[in-house]
Amino acid sequence: MLPRGGVLQGLIAGISGAIGYGLGVVAAFVWRAFADREARPAARRSWQVLAVAAVVLFGVAFGLGQYWQHEIRGLMGVTDYNALTTVACPFVAVLVFWLLLLAGRGLRRLYRWAARLLGRWVGEKAAKAVGWILVAALAWSAFSGVLLAGIVNAANEAFSLRDTKTPEGVHQPVSPLRSGGPGSLVPWDTLGYQGRAFTGSGPTAAQIGAFTHRAAQEPVRAYAGLETADDTERRAERAVADLQRAGGFERANLLVMTTTGSGWVDPAAVDSFEYLADGDTASVALQYSYLPSWLSYLVDQSKAREAGRELFDAVYGVWSKLPQDHRPRLFVAGESLGSFGGEAAFSGEYDLRNRTAGTLFAGPPNFNTLFREFSDHREPGSPEIEPVYREGRTVRFTDDPATAIPPADRPWDGTRVLYLMHPSDPIVWWSPNLAFSEPDWISETPGSDVLGSMVWIPFVTFWQVTADLPFSTGVPDGHGHTYKAAYVDGWDAVMRPAGFTPQDLERLKEIVSPPE
């Protein structure tokens, strides 16, 4: 789905080759078991046929792969191309394949040793069966219990050290309207790396006024980091208490932002919200993990759900007790795993409609509960990449909010819930179901930045989309898992602010997502 460099493609091809080889070995083993015969040495002619087929198929596959990569780069406007790494691709693939093959044969030797040892006390067939079970259990335990846990723990330690630092160019706020600033209930050194980036940056009243040519206010930003309190509920309470202290509930617009794993908030998401509301805003967020988004995506889903629910409930608990004519408009937003956590506070369409003034979710993971409900129950004939749910009365989907959001011919009154999702975003489309069944988004007309020649192949498609996940943000804005300029038009659709022309929105896009 995404452009790849030669080394990365070689790594993926090597792993793919090893998986295919392993499946072939298993299939041959099963066949021999049914045929009731031992393996026989391959004939010389078989080796010759294999050699010729391998050369021809390699040439065809490599050529098509490079052509498709060229086409993908063209769709996304990617101009980087390194011929040297492209040449290195097959060599990297062979090296990775060989290393994995050696690991697999090591496990086979371990199995044979275990079977011989067990054969002293039980029958041959039982010894082999138990030997396979023992080796498989050992390998899985080593991966899931030792290797995977070790990777997660090492990553947690590494990112916890980073969390003590402050981003370059960010300084402690001098405004009492920010967490970590004068009078704040949340100390600056407890905000974490991303929390300090959130409260120590953002547009000022002067910058907003220079854009709108109207009087503007200084936005309120509240945040709680992992070091702010021991558990999620208390962090949410501290963040909301600081929001209340700074006058956040007295603003016209209040945004509850569920972060990604490390506590990151896309600056474009909040900056756009603040510019379009003349700074008459308050935003609140909290951190629930040290891990980056893609790793939290795999291991911290429950923390994201808890954070989204606790933060919104804490805000709603204060907001709902205010007089109706003195409440700010309450908005919810989240990107990636943040959208997963943001959804957790709501039971469905009516709950979103009744308890918010608007919602904007970007790049929702495929396992999002509400996202799946809305998409799976879409109107017949509407595509999965842009589904229509219940005539679009509340919930709508788009990859480009600057255009008419379908169904454009039907009313979109009251609360608006908008999902931004690019056809090329692997976070949105990745699912374990890809391994065994073809999804609608492949069988239907492809999106604007997805190759029309893409087809579904059992397991292969699942593995290829999986391989894209860690690199989903390494593409230009407007593709993959990169949503920046889209927030301007997205918030314009959800908030419906007055006084902004299409030209104003284009200028704002250049501010929140400067061209590189």
Side-chain angles (χ1 to χ4, degrees):
M1 299 184 75
L2 304 177
R4 295 173 180 166
V7 174
L8 173 60
Q9 185 58 48
L11 173 65
I12 293 170
I15 296 174
S16 299
I19 292 172
Y21 181 85
L23 293 174
V25 169
V26 172
F29 174 81
V30 172
W31 168 254
R32 287 195 298 271
F34 278 98
D36 195 23
R37 65 173 177 81
E38 296 296 325
R40 295 179 295 191
R44 181 180 179 183
R45 186 172 183 81
S46 298
W47 284 111
Q48 292 173 343
V49 171
L50 175 63
V52 172
V55 171
V56 173
L57 291 174
F58 167 76
V60 172
F62 188 76
L64 286 174
Q66 292 307 306
Y67 171 73
W68 289 329
Q69 281 293 302
H70 171 74
E71 292 289 295
I72 293 174
R73 288 195 297 271
L75 288 175
M76 298 189 180
V78 176
T79 57
D80 293 340
Y81 178 75
N82 191 316
L84 184 61
T85 59
T86 300
V87 173
C89 174
F91 298 98
V92 173
V94 170
L95 176 61
V96 172
F97 173 82
W98 183 251
L99 291 175
L100 292 174
L101 182 62
L102 290 177
R105 289 184 172 177
L107 288 175
R108 185 177 65 181
R109 289 178 181 175
L110 180 61
Y111 147 71
R112 288 175 175 172
W113 174 82
R116 285 197 302 270
L117 184 63
L118 291 169
R120 299 177 183 178
W121 298 283
V122 298
E124 180 182 358
K125 292 183 178 180
K128 288 182 178 181
V130 175
W132 268 119
I133 294 173
L134 289 175
V135 172
L138 179 64
W140 175 249
S141 297
F143 178 79
S144 61
V146 178
L147 181 60
L148 185 59
I151 292 174
V152 172
N153 289 336
N156 205 53
E157 288 295 326
F159 286 103
S160 66
L161 291 176
R162 179 176 181 267
D163 206 52
T164 62
K165 301 178 181 179
T166 301
E168 185 177 354
V170 172
H171 303 284
Q172 184 172 0
V174 296
S175 168
L177 302 180
R178 303 292 178 98
S179 291
S184 173
L185 304 178
V186 182
W188 172 253
D189 59 1
T190 71
L191 290 175
Y193 184 90
Q194 300 295 354
R196 286 189 281 274
F198 176 68
T199 64
S201 63
T204 63
Q207 291 171 323
I208 296 173
F211 165 72
T212 61
H213 303 295
R214 297 190 292 265
Q217 298 186 51
E218 192 83 16
V220 173
R221 290 192 177 189
Y223 193 95
L226 280 174
E227 300 300 319
T228 302
D230 294 334
D231 57 59
T232 304
E233 183 179 2
R234 293 180 182 177
R235 281 194 296 275
E237 291 173 353
R238 290 285 294 277
V240 173
D242 206 39
L243 176 71
Q244 195 167 17
R245 172 203 62 82
F249 289 94
E250 299 167 15
R251 295 301 178 98
N253 303 280
L254 175 57
L255 174 61
V256 180
M257 190 83 191
T258 307
T259 68
T260 61
S262 60
W264 179 73
V265 174
D266 191 334
V270 181
D271 291 0
S272 300
F273 181 80
E274 293 170 342
Y275 273 105
L276 292 174
D278 295 322
D280 193 4
T281 66
S283 305
V284 59
L286 60 81
Q287 179 186 17
Y288 55 85
S289 174
Y290 292 122
L291 300 178
S293 184
W294 70 271
L295 195 51
S296 294
Y297 178 75
L298 299 175
V299 301
D300 271 351
Q301 294 179 21
S302 61
K303 293 182 181 179
R305 183 187 295 108
E306 181 185 20
R309 184 174 56 249
E310 293 289 355
L311 181 58
F312 182 82
D313 287 351
V315 171
Y316 192 79
V318 176
W319 178 90
S320 62
K321 295 174 183 173
L322 299 174
Q324 290 190 11
D325 56 347
H326 287 83
R327 292 175 181 171
R329 293 197 298 167
L330 183 57
F331 295 90
V332 174
E335 180 174 332
S336 189
L337 200 58
S339 72
F340 174 75
E343 281 189 358
F346 305 94
S347 60
E349 176 198 12
Y350 286 112
D351 202 17
L352 283 164
R353 187 181 185 94
N354 293 335
R355 295 206 291 161
T356 74
T359 299
L360 184 61
F361 289 139
N366 199 262
F367 54 72
N368 276 23
T369 304
L370 297 185
F371 170 62
R372 281 266 47 94
E373 177 185 335
F374 301 148
S375 182
D376 292 344
H377 294 87
R378 64 187 182 275
E379 292 183 8
S382 65
E384 188 174 14
I385 61 171
E386 210 166 42
V388 174
Y389 178 75
R390 294 186 177 178
E391 300 185 334
R393 62 190 183 188
T394 301
V395 182
R396 296 197 179 188
F397 304 79
T398 186
D399 71 320
D400 184 6
T403 61
I405 301 172
D409 59 341
R410 300 177 192 175
W412 197 13
D413 303 322
T415 295
R416 293 184 174 186
V417 177
L418 180 61
Y419 283 85
L420 304 176
M421 50 191 204
H422 296 144
S424 60
D425 186 350
I427 299 292
V428 175
W429 309 116
W430 181 89
S431 167
N433 295 331
L434 274 174
F436 306 108
S437 60
E438 181 178 11
D440 292 340
W441 61 270
I442 292 182
S443 61
E444 296 168 345
T445 303
S448 58
D449 57 357
V450 174
L451 292 179
S453 55
M454 183 175 182
V455 296
W456 175 79
I457 303 173
F459 188 79
V460 174
T461 301
F462 165 78
W463 161 237
Q464 291 287 352
V465 176
T466 300
D468 281 332
L469 292 177
F471 311 100
S472 57
T473 59
V475 291
D477 189 16
H479 304 283
H481 199 56
T482 306
Y483 302 84
K484 294 188 182 300
Y487 277 115
V488 174
D489 292 308
W491 277 124
D492 181 62
V494 171
M495 298 172 68
R496 290 166 280 183
F500 292 98
T501 66
Q503 292 73 26
D504 292 331
L505 299 180
E506 290 301 318
R507 286 195 300 117
L508 183 54
K509 290 176 188 178
E510 294 181 358
I511 294 174
V512 301
S513 180
E516 297 181 358

